[in-house]
Amino acid sequence: MRLRNWIANLVRNFTQSRQVDRELDEEVRGAFEIFVDEKASAGRSRASARRAAALEFGGIEQVKEEIRDIRAGALLETFWRDVRYAFRMLARSPAFTFVAITTLAVGIGANTTIFGFVYAVVLRPLPLENLPRLVTVYMTDARNPGERGVSLKNFVDFRDRNDVFEAMTAEGFANVSLEGGNGEPDRVLAEIVAGNYFATLGVKPILGRTFLPEEDRTEGASLVAVLSYPLWQSRFGGDPTIVGRTMSVNNHPFTIVGVMPAGFRGIESVGGAALWMPTMTYPVATTGQVLQGVPSRRFDWFLATGLLKPGVTLLQAEANLKAIARQLEQSFPNDNGGRSVGVRRLGLSPEERRTIATSVGLLMTIVGLVLFIACTNVANLMLARATVRQKEMAIRQTLGASRGRLMCQLLTEGLLLALMSGLAGLLLAQWAQDVVWSYRPPNLGADDIDLQLNVQVLGFTLIVSMLTCVLFSLVPAIRASRPDVVGELKGTTSHIGGGGRRRNVRHTLIALQVALSLVALVSAGLFIRSFQAARQIDLGFDVADLAAMRFELAAQGYTQGQGREFQRQAIERATAVNGVRSAALADLVPLSGGGQTRTVFIEGEDLRDSRNGRIVPTGIVGASYFETLGIPLVRGRHFDERDQSTAPLVAIVNERLANMLWPGQEALGKRVKLFNTDFHQIVGVVRNSTYGSLGSEPPPILYRPLTQVYQSNLALLIRGKNPDAVIGTVRSQIRQLDQKLPITNVSSLSDVLYSALWTPRMAAWLLTLMGGVSLLLAAVGIYGVTAYSVSQRTRELGIRVALGAPRYDVIWLIVGQSLRVSFIGLTAGLAVSLIATRLIAGLLYGSALDLVTFVSVPLVLAAAVVAASYLPARRATRIEPTIALRSDL
Amino acid sequence: MAAKVTPLVQGTLDLLILKALASQELHGLGVSRRISDITRGTFQVQPGSLFPALHRLEEAGWLSSTWGSSENNRRAKYYRLTKAGRRQLDQEQQDWNRISVAITRALEA
């Protein structure tokens, strides 16, 4: 009842506000007149009665204000009025509004952009229905740290013997050749998955169905596949009748049974497979080492995911699986010796998390700094503006506004600014995100990330805007709501020097801005140097003259004999091309990886105990591999015609592997063995080189000759003066040998290096951009504050000039003050940077205590401070002393 | 000797206003005069406290108002109790009696 009344009154007060107000005025005024009548009837004159009445009654406006305050919806009405007033005030000073919104929009936009990426890659939960109960099951090896996969046989045993999972599924990635639909034959990333994969994850297809249990039962029997949404769109044009059609995978016909929804990428948050096939298609889908390895219990190639039964905890699951692992160790000591199992929540591994956390942390800190600087700029602007509006505030206080009301009004202005900036920042972020994504690393496709605007990003923007509002409007609002009423109305408030306490606040803000800019610029400087260092890393081979391409023969159905013949002809044709100095085949390509990771045993180790042996990268290389790459031979000899398949097995090691296996001894002549091979004799030692990511230590590598070990998945490497020019010719030569063979990854190694340097380059760019923005904002802030303080001191400066002070003295007075204030900021910023850079040292290729950076950045900042305060200072000296003395400030 | 409108006394002010309007219709100043009368001058309510209270009670539904003319033929707003207001007056009267009895007892204990 009360509520209904209240709402009814609220509506009336709102919709008929003018009439309500008129009645209010009539009532109170009428009451006042009646009061005067009473007094007058007691015999006084009307005038004196009025005076007496006025004293007793209190002000009419005050009474009206009291009534208004308790009326229904008074608060809302006040707020709405504040908003309209704020709008008018902001519209009246368009320059201020424009600068403030632009500044804040840049800060908010930067934060939203970064957050958008962070959310899409790290924070967004995967679109899997069963996500809360999904866990990753990984295996561990006693001798080699890190998470490993699960072999198919082990997976089956875990699946059948466990008590903790409602379901367990497995998946493995494989590159396959795809033909069908639009476009040339291509190689795409496929996943072979257990039949219950989609059901376990909890996702349904948008077309057709997923796999039936019988389709994952017999090896090579059911050649069926499920397409991913991007593949369905790009290769098959989104054909709604796609279910039931066939395509050719690795030269075998596969029936398409379903299509997955957009946004589903398996358990990856970025990237992911183009199509899925049952595990039992592995005889067709996989080749070479993987094909041989899948039936082996030792080949821990698959990734396993489990769906916990309701109520089962991670610890319980891990204990249960560990018990099974022990059983398997006893039953299969050779394959599972030293191998145990672990369970963790689905998502990034702890190692991935750590890397991402540092880089994300750095980015978000820097954009946070930029935002903070932007806020201090706007706060300074608002402080200056508040000083100008002193008279307005004083009058409002006289009319009965309490300090709280004045503050509310000012905060509402700040709120309006913040919301408008937030909106502008959001739009800016949408554009910026697209720009940043267009510079993505080359191995990611356009659809690999979902950057569409979502509730979380909106919410983040809103929160940041609110925070911004508090930051920049609170202090000015507090200060502005405390005007010297009497002084203002009389016009005698002095502004000499711009007010003591206010000046301190402004100076503190400037020092803060300088400090934060310094931190941002130091980060930028460090990452620029890091990028330079990365480019100068000695890779161990000559990048400039090299180019490569890949092709996979077994997928096209080549037997070993046919494959070797093709490879021989390929080398022949390649070397014959004009401009090619030498060519070689290998599965190991510098900077692009490849090769296989195998367990290597040295002679003398107990081979049956699989706890012995090191897991190292190995490569299969053809003749003149090392010459082509420019990797020098340190000792011994190259592979040559002696090393045929009938001859004794040989191998070459790099220095790192030699030191690892035989520290302090000569590696030449020693013998090693892989798990299922005979002994290889070491005939040569070569220099280290980088095969995987930059900056990590060159790995230990074992090389085996192509003539003795057949490999169907190879890269063709060519060396020549102008690799970009000749690689096309070589490619068409190879194509002539087989039109249907997909040839992929055709590029010069300089291009590959360029891509490999993506991370340090991107980091340097982004941070330089942010550093530049913060420098600009700080400079603008200093300019504004100096200009303002100069305008406040016009009279004083005019006096100085009139008394004969030389121009440069006056200039130095002002610039010197800015420098003094900034000096505090510089020192503070340096201290913070020195401490903070320790945290990001892991991300840098160079040293975190780079002298060049730490010396040049403060100098650059100091120069900016001088420049920014010089301009207004110079203008000050141009003031005619007579005008200055007459100025009314 | 004017009553300040503190939250504690606000309830009392409401009670006095309702009582003042129990027997007749009055305009704003009239209510203030009547309160002064019936409390023998103890409470002189200022317009700054009275008018907001009148409006509050009207919005709560206990008073209703009409425009009329005063003794000197000035336009004024006249307030009267509604039926709900009358019920509220009875209720508050009972509450007040109970409270005062309890406090008196406490002070004599």
Side-chain angles (χ1 to χ4, degrees), chain A residues 343 651 763 836:
Chain A
V343 173

Side-chain angles (χ1 to χ4, degrees), chain A residues 9 55 143 154 254 259 267 326 422 427 508 516 580 729 776:
Chain A
N9 280 313
L55 280 171
R143 256 212 174 193
N154 277 341
F254 271 69
V259 178
I267 59 177
R326 278 193 294 273
L427 294 172
T508 316
L516 295 178
V580 172
T729 324
L776 187 67

